[in-house]
Amino acid sequence: MSNERTELSSLGEFGLIEHLTKNIELQNASTVLGVGDDAAVIDHFGKQTVITTDLLLEGVHFDLMYTPLKHLGYKSVIVNLSDVYAMNATPTQVIMSIGISNRFGLEALDEFYEGVYAACNKYGVDLVGGDTTSSQKGFIISVTAVGEVTPDTFVKRSTAQKGDLLCVSGDLGGAYIGLLFLEREKKIFLESPGVQPDLEGESYVIGRMLKPEARKDIIEFFASQEVIPTAMIDISDGLSSEILHLCNQSNLGCVLYEEKIPVAEETKKAAFKFEIDPTACALSGGEDYELLFTVSQADYEKLILNEKISVVGYMTDAEEGATILTKGGNKHAITAQGWVHLSK
Ligand code: ADP
Ligand code: MG
């Protein structure tokens, strides 16, 4: 952040909103009317609309001690786009509401919006509105995302079928390890403020935490291959928790192969430094924003064309439960804290 500080009071509420939104160039034909009226107008021309929202609170969801505002703006959009992609839909508009703490000057908000607009441009979505208030305590961010989907091709969590393949995109566990590094350096800094942070060599996992991406590419791949997953969810709370959602809502069980869970080399090395099991990070870590989905076995040949997709297991009857087959050949029930019994 630069050292300049422009008081927000010098602009006033309307001046501030005008400042934050003046450069918007609309990217979607579906955006009939954007910022500047009582509401935005969106026309999806015969498509179906999905809509999702997330609330992010300072001290609960993010820590400004180690989160650059630009990254925070970026991530606050990404986490919502990830929910839209998890419906097999394409995000088209976002609405951004902020409660601004009195610590913030205009320069700080500009940094935040730089990240917001970077995400909007990268993913081709329009910022079409929001609300701006002051906050007594901490920075508050509420983002709503709107997306479109060809009628009846949206994908729910509850429609997986017995025998379907269980798949994940990308790699897991990195964001959690990134968070451990950031928390460790924060603690050291608070105890001895002179010490420079030692995050050397950990850019991959720290990037996974601070600057996640949403899996637009996977949704586009499905469309190009004419694959519609039978069920899907995004991985925000750790693989175990999301698998349990899929199994419970589809009324099925599953077998997850520990050895098939994709974990990046960087994540494995970093987990080793903290003496924790990389599988534990993937199962319970969270914030990876990858996709977990099921597909019919008939789609297997198409799926393996994409190296970003890993088949990690298959769906079973509910009676068999949600289970993990460990590298050692043992079968355990998957629990929301899946690693507790694995790490013994
Ligand atoms: P209203 O009083 O009708 O709610 P506002 O004065 O709050 O309108 O907002 C004016 C316009 O600016 C609206 O289009 C609103 O959606 C948009 N807007 C307000 N705050 C933000 C923000 N933080 N980011 C983006 N757009 C915003
Ligand atoms: Mg308003």
Coordinates of all heavy atoms in Angstrom, one line a residue, residues 244-277:
L244 N -18.7 -35.7 1.9 CA -19.8 -36.1 2.7 C -21.1 -35.4 2.2 O -22.2 -35.9 2.2 CB -19.5 -35.7 4.2 CG -18.5 -36.6 4.8 CD1 -18.1 -36.2 6.2 CD2 -18.9 -38.1 4.8
H245 N -20.9 -34.1 1.8 CA -22.1 -33.4 1.2 C -22.7 -34.1 0.0 O -23.9 -34.4 -0.1 CB -21.7 -32.0 0.8 CG -21.6 -31.0 1.9 ND1 -22.6 -30.8 2.9 CD2 -20.6 -30.2 2.3 CE1 -22.2 -29.9 3.7 NE2 -21.0 -29.5 3.4
L246 N -21.7 -34.5 -0.9 CA -22.2 -35.2 -2.1 C -22.9 -36.6 -1.8 O -23.9 -36.9 -2.3 CB -21.0 -35.5 -3.0 CG -20.5 -34.5 -4.1 CD1 -19.6 -35.2 -5.1 CD2 -21.7 -33.9 -4.8
C247 N -22.2 -37.3 -0.9 CA -22.8 -38.6 -0.5 C -24.1 -38.5 0.2 O -25.1 -39.1 -0.2 CB -21.8 -39.4 0.4 SG -20.4 -40.0 -0.5
N248 N -24.2 -37.6 1.2 CA -25.4 -37.5 2.0 C -26.5 -37.0 1.1 O -27.6 -37.5 1.1 CB -25.2 -36.5 3.1 CG -24.3 -37.1 4.2 OD1 -24.1 -38.3 4.2 ND2 -23.6 -36.3 5.0
Q249 N -26.2 -36.0 0.3 CA -27.3 -35.4 -0.5 C -27.7 -36.3 -1.7 O -28.9 -36.2 -2.2 CB -26.9 -34.0 -1.0 CG -26.8 -33.0 0.2 CD -26.7 -31.5 -0.2 OE1 -27.2 -31.1 -1.2 NE2 -26.0 -30.8 0.6
S250 N -26.8 -37.1 -2.1 CA -27.2 -38.1 -3.2 C -27.7 -39.4 -2.6 O -28.0 -40.3 -3.4 CB -26.0 -38.3 -4.1 OG -25.6 -37.2 -4.8
N251 N -27.6 -39.5 -1.3 CA -28.0 -40.8 -0.6 C -27.2 -42.0 -1.1 O -27.7 -43.0 -1.4 CB -29.5 -41.0 -0.8 CG -30.0 -42.1 0.2 OD1 -29.3 -42.3 1.3 ND2 -31.1 -42.8 -0.1
L252 N -25.8 -41.8 -1.2 CA -24.9 -42.8 -1.6 C -23.7 -42.9 -0.7 O -23.6 -42.0 0.2 CB -24.4 -42.5 -3.0 CG -25.4 -42.5 -4.2 CD1 -24.7 -42.0 -5.4 CD2 -25.9 -43.9 -4.4
G253 N -22.9 -43.9 -0.8 CA -21.6 -44.0 -0.2 C -20.5 -43.8 -1.3 O -20.9 -43.6 -2.4
C254 N -19.3 -44.0 -0.9 CA -18.2 -43.9 -1.9 C -17.0 -44.6 -1.4 O -16.8 -44.9 -0.2 CB -17.9 -42.4 -2.2 SG -16.9 -41.6 -1.0
V255 N -16.1 -44.9 -2.3 CA -14.7 -45.3 -2.0 C -13.8 -44.3 -2.6 O -13.8 -44.0 -3.8 CB -14.4 -46.7 -2.6 CG1 -12.9 -47.1 -2.3 CG2 -15.3 -47.8 -2.0
L256 N -13.0 -43.7 -1.7 CA -12.0 -42.7 -2.1 C -10.6 -43.3 -1.9 O -10.3 -43.9 -0.9 CB -12.1 -41.4 -1.2 CG -11.0 -40.4 -1.3 CD1 -11.0 -39.7 -2.6 CD2 -11.1 -39.4 -0.1
Y257 N -9.8 -43.3 -3.0 CA -8.4 -43.9 -2.9 C -7.5 -42.8 -2.4 O -7.2 -41.9 -3.2 CB -8.0 -44.5 -4.2 CG -8.8 -45.6 -4.7 CD1 -9.9 -45.4 -5.6 CD2 -8.6 -46.9 -4.2 CE1 -10.6 -46.5 -6.0 CE2 -9.4 -48.0 -4.6 CZ -10.4 -47.8 -5.5 OH -11.1 -48.8 -5.9
E258 N -6.8 -43.0 -1.3 CA -5.9 -42.0 -0.8 C -4.8 -41.7 -1.8 O -4.4 -40.6 -2.0 CB -5.3 -42.5 0.5 CG -4.3 -41.4 1.1 CD -3.5 -41.9 2.3 OE1 -3.5 -43.1 2.7 OE2 -2.8 -41.0 2.8
E259 N -4.3 -42.8 -2.4 CA -3.2 -42.6 -3.4 C -3.5 -41.8 -4.6 O -2.7 -41.3 -5.3 CB -2.6 -44.0 -3.8 CG -3.6 -44.8 -4.5 CD -3.0 -46.2 -4.9 OE1 -1.9 -46.4 -4.7 OE2 -3.8 -46.9 -5.6
K260 N -4.8 -41.7 -4.9 CA -5.3 -41.0 -6.1 C -5.5 -39.5 -5.8 O -5.7 -38.7 -6.7 CB -6.5 -41.6 -6.6 CG -6.5 -43.0 -6.9 CD -6.2 -43.3 -8.3 CE -6.3 -44.8 -8.7 NZ -5.4 -45.2 -9.7
I261 N -5.5 -39.1 -4.5 CA -5.8 -37.7 -4.2 C -4.6 -36.8 -4.7 O -3.5 -37.0 -4.4 CB -6.0 -37.5 -2.7 CG1 -7.1 -38.3 -2.2 CG2 -6.2 -36.0 -2.4 CD1 -7.2 -38.3 -0.6
P262 N -4.9 -35.9 -5.6 CA -3.9 -35.1 -6.2 C -3.3 -34.0 -5.2 O -4.0 -33.2 -4.7 CB -4.5 -34.4 -7.4 CG -6.0 -34.3 -7.0 CD -6.3 -35.5 -6.2
V263 N -2.0 -34.1 -5.0 CA -1.3 -33.2 -4.1 C -0.1 -32.7 -4.8 O 0.7 -33.5 -5.3 CB -1.0 -33.8 -2.7 CG1 -0.3 -32.8 -1.8 CG2 -2.2 -34.3 -2.0
A264 N 0.2 -31.4 -4.9 CA 1.3 -30.9 -5.7 C 2.6 -31.2 -4.9 O 2.6 -31.3 -3.6 CB 1.2 -29.4 -5.8
E265 N 3.7 -31.4 -5.6 CA 5.0 -31.6 -5.0 C 5.3 -30.5 -4.0 O 5.8 -30.8 -2.9 CB 6.1 -31.7 -6.0 CG 6.3 -33.0 -6.7 CD 6.4 -34.2 -5.7 OE1 7.1 -34.1 -4.7 OE2 5.6 -35.1 -5.9
E266 N 5.1 -29.3 -4.4 CA 5.3 -28.1 -3.5 C 4.6 -28.3 -2.2 O 5.1 -27.9 -1.1 CB 4.9 -26.8 -4.1 CG 5.7 -26.4 -5.4 CD 5.1 -27.0 -6.7 OE1 4.4 -28.0 -6.6 OE2 5.4 -26.3 -7.7
T267 N 3.3 -28.8 -2.3 CA 2.5 -28.9 -1.1 C 3.1 -30.1 -0.2 O 3.2 -29.9 1.0 CB 1.1 -29.3 -1.5 OG1 0.6 -28.2 -2.3 CG2 0.2 -29.4 -0.3
K268 N 3.5 -31.1 -0.8 CA 4.1 -32.3 -0.1 C 5.3 -31.8 0.7 O 5.5 -32.1 1.9 CB 4.5 -33.4 -1.0 CG 3.3 -34.2 -1.5 CD 3.7 -35.4 -2.4 CE 2.5 -36.0 -3.1 NZ 2.9 -36.8 -4.2
K269 N 6.2 -31.1 0.0 CA 7.4 -30.6 0.7 C 7.1 -29.7 1.8 O 7.7 -29.8 2.9 CB 8.3 -29.8 -0.4 CG 9.1 -30.8 -1.3 CD 10.1 -30.0 -2.0 CE 10.7 -30.8 -3.2 NZ 10.8 -30.0 -4.4
A270 N 6.2 -28.8 1.6 CA 5.8 -27.8 2.6 C 5.2 -28.5 3.8 O 5.4 -28.2 5.0 CB 4.9 -26.7 2.1
A271 N 4.3 -29.5 3.6 CA 3.7 -30.3 4.6 C 4.7 -31.0 5.5 O 4.7 -31.0 6.7 CB 2.7 -31.3 4.1
F272 N 5.7 -31.5 4.8 CA 6.9 -32.2 5.5 C 7.5 -31.2 6.5 O 7.8 -31.6 7.6 CB 7.8 -32.6 4.4 CG 8.9 -33.5 4.9 CD1 8.6 -34.8 5.4 CD2 10.2 -33.0 4.9 CE1 9.7 -35.6 5.9 CE2 11.3 -33.8 5.4 CZ 11.0 -35.1 5.9
K273 N 7.7 -29.9 6.1 CA 8.3 -29.0 7.0 C 7.5 -28.8 8.3 O 8.0 -28.5 9.3 CB 8.5 -27.6 6.3 CG 9.6 -27.6 5.3 CD 9.8 -26.2 4.7 CE 10.7 -26.3 3.5 NZ 10.7 -25.0 2.7
F274 N 6.2 -28.9 8.2 CA 5.3 -28.7 9.3 C 5.0 -30.1 10.0 O 4.2 -30.1 10.9 CB 4.0 -28.1 8.9 CG 4.1 -26.6 8.8 CD1 4.3 -26.0 7.6 CD2 4.0 -25.8 9.9 CE1 4.3 -24.6 7.5 CE2 4.0 -24.4 9.8 CZ 4.2 -23.8 8.6
E275 N 5.6 -31.1 9.5 CA 5.4 -32.5 10.0 C 4.0 -32.8 10.0 O 3.5 -33.4 11.0 CB 6.1 -32.6 11.4 CG 7.6 -32.5 11.3 CD 8.2 -32.6 12.7 OE1 7.6 -33.0 13.6 OE2 9.4 -32.4 12.8
I276 N 3.3 -32.5 9.0 CA 1.9 -33.0 8.8 C 1.7 -33.7 7.6 O 2.5 -33.6 6.6 CB 0.8 -31.8 8.9 CG1 1.2 -30.7 8.0 CG2 0.7 -31.3 10.4 CD1 0.1 -29.6 8.0
D277 N 0.7 -34.6 7.6 CA 0.5 -35.5 6.4 C -0.2 -34.7 5.3 O -1.3 -34.1 5.5 CB -0.5 -36.6 7.0 CG -0.9 -37.6 5.9 OD1 -0.4 -37.4 4.8 OD2 -1.6 -38.5 6.3

